[in-house]
Amino acid sequence: MNPKDYLVSLLHVATEEQLIAAPKNTTALLQRYGFQFKKQFGQNFLIDLHVMGKIVRAAQIGPEDVCLEIGPGIGSLTQILAEASGRVLAVEIDERLIPILQENLAAYEHVEMICADFLELDLTRFAAEHRVDRPLKVVANLPYYITTPIIMHLFESGLPLDSITVMVQEEVARRMQAGPGSKDYGALSLAVQYYAEPSIAAFVPQNCFIPRPGVGSAVIHLKRRSEPPVAVRDEAFLFSLIRAAFEQRRKTLVNSVSGAVRAPAAKEAVQKALQNLGFSETVRGEALTLAEFARLADALMEGDSHG
Ligand code: SAM
């Protein structure tokens, strides 16, 4: 089934012609409210039903699901999530959008609008206050200026999560999915892959949004792992090593990570640990898998030399 037909098959209340995401409806709505886009909020609204279909198909939403949307805008994706799922929690920072959302999504009692900066929310409290009783499916067209902070906030907060299906910059999607040895591989790849299994669901051209963003986009699906793929003694130390390893990616690991290791002879400790793991002294961070970084972190811990 093509993505748009899939989308239409999910509709219960609205017809295809009534979808906010249909370009002519979005334009009419923006005109009716005299809405002016705010660039600093990353406001690029999606106006392509085919792409909407790809997002909801990748997210695999059913009537039992609770969706969390970050940045509903005028409600284009929110409406589709409301049609397909049992409940939608939508967090929007721009207070000008709240009355527009309330008016246009009035038919959907199971949509809750929260006016807040998502990054400022204590997500454990948020889940308790909103009586979230199952792992959430996060589905959103993210504001690009804060993509990584949003994703890390979701993973690190302890919020029960099933998956994250989001529109991001194409380059960021590639970095999340990259493996060792590729130019896109880095701290973001390792952080995301520690928590989730990534897969790119679609590449999306600029003309699918108003206003058009300056970069290409992609939809990425991150399936939350039930357990991390590697066991490590100190997660925080692992991530400090990874961050240090990629801060200056042209440096060898011995030079880049020594600063993260608190030991009288940090450089020697890293050299020795790498040697014991079978790596050359000149190896760079981009060559190591997550499992290898975990072994390096544990080896440095064993020498009781972490900082
Ligand atoms: N979901 C809509 C769509 O697909 O057309 C709008 C997506 S637009 C790319 C990003 C949305 O995120 C905007 O509505 C913007 O106001 C909102 N936003 C930006 N920063 C935010 C933040 N810190 N917390 C919550 N929402 C935010």
Side-chain angles (χ1 to χ4, degrees):
M1 201 189 297
N2 83 44
K4 192 166 146 200
D5 290 342
Y6 176 81
L7 168 63
V8 171
S9 77
L10 298 176
L11 302 180
H12 293 104
V13 177
T15 61
E16 186 184 333
E17 291 68 38
Q18 292 167 324
L19 290 178
I20 298 169
K24 66 174 177 14
N25 292 341
T26 299
T27 316
L29 242 163
L30 293 171
Q31 253 169 20
R32 178 146 64 89
Y33 290 94
F35 185 79
Q36 303 287 330
F37 294 99
K38 273 198 180 160
K39 212 174 167 183
Q40 81 262 33
F41 286 151
Q43 290 177 342
N44 300 93
F45 296 167
L46 187 57
I47 46 162
D48 188 303
L49 294 180
H50 193 77
V51 175
M52 288 283 186
K54 287 187 178 175
I55 297 175
V56 282
R57 189 159 68 185
Q60 287 293 305
I61 299 159
E64 304 298 312
D65 288 322
V66 181
C67 293
L68 169 62
E69 186 185 9
I70 299 134
I74 54 168
S76 322
L77 178 59
T78 326
Q79 182 186 27
I80 293 162
L81 299 178
E83 292 276 345
S85 74
R87 193 174 167 210
V88 184
L89 300 166
V91 181
E92 173 57 59
I93 196 171
D94 188 347
E95 54 192 25
R96 300 172 306 154
L97 289 165
I98 304 297
I100 303 181
L101 286 162
Q102 277 163 346
E103 191 178 332
N104 290 287
L105 298 175
Y108 304 97
E109 284 178 1
H110 56 300
V111 176
E112 289 153 73
M113 241 73 77
I114 299 114
C115 189
D117 177 345
F118 184 74
L119 293 179
E120 294 292 319
L121 288 180
D122 172 337
L123 293 181
T124 314
R125 226 172 89 191
F126 175 85
E129 277 171 8
H130 291 277
R131 289 186 288 282
V132 172
D133 60 357
R134 66 201 65 195
L136 291 165
K137 292 193 173 174
V138 176
V139 190
N141 170 18
L142 289 181
Y144 292 171
Y145 72 107
I146 44 170
T147 301
T148 303
I150 289 177
I151 303 275
M152 296 322 291
H153 190 38
L154 285 164
F155 282 140
E156 290 169 353
S157 64
L159 187 72
L161 272 186
D162 174 273
S163 58
I164 301 176
T165 309
V166 281
M167 180 84 74
V168 298
Q169 278 184 36
E170 180 178 335
E171 177 223 325
V172 175
R174 290 190 195 279
R175 278 164 44 205
M176 288 184 188
Q177 211 194 14
S182 95
K183 70 170 174 41
D184 296 320
Y185 186 59
L188 180 64
S189 327
L190 287 157
V192 164
Q193 291 166 30
Y194 183 78
Y195 293 107
E197 285 177 63
S199 54
I200 293 179
F203 291 103
V204 181
Q206 280 129 300
N207 60 7
C208 295
F209 303 84
I210 50 166
R212 288 162 63 112
V215 290
S217 301
V219 177
I220 191 154
H221 178 71
L222 306 173
K223 178 73 186 163
R224 180 78 160 100
R225 297 181 192 276
S226 49
E227 293 289 330
V230 295
V232 65
R233 284 160 65 179
D234 184 336
E235 209 176 88
F237 179 53
L238 168 67
F239 283 113
S240 70
L241 270 190
I242 290 173
R243 269 193 305 275
F246 289 99
E247 237 152 53
Q248 286 167 288
R249 43 187 314 140
R250 302 307 304 158
K251 278 193 175 180
T252 64
L253 260 184
V254 171
N255 286 324
S256 60
V257 307
S258 297
V261 178
R262 198 169 1 118
K267 222 169 169 167
E268 288 70 23
V270 178
Q271 266 163 348
K272 194 167 149 236
L274 283 172
Q275 198 180 22
N276 288 344
L277 294 173
F279 287 106
S280 99
E281 258 184 38
T282 57
V283 70
R284 294 201 181 99
E286 63 202 27
L288 266 65
T289 63
L290 179 58
E292 287 162 346
F293 269 111
R295 279 163 55 209
L296 178 62
D298 280 355
L300 290 168
M301 290 277 297
E302 245 155 53
D304 200 23
S305 51
H306 74 295

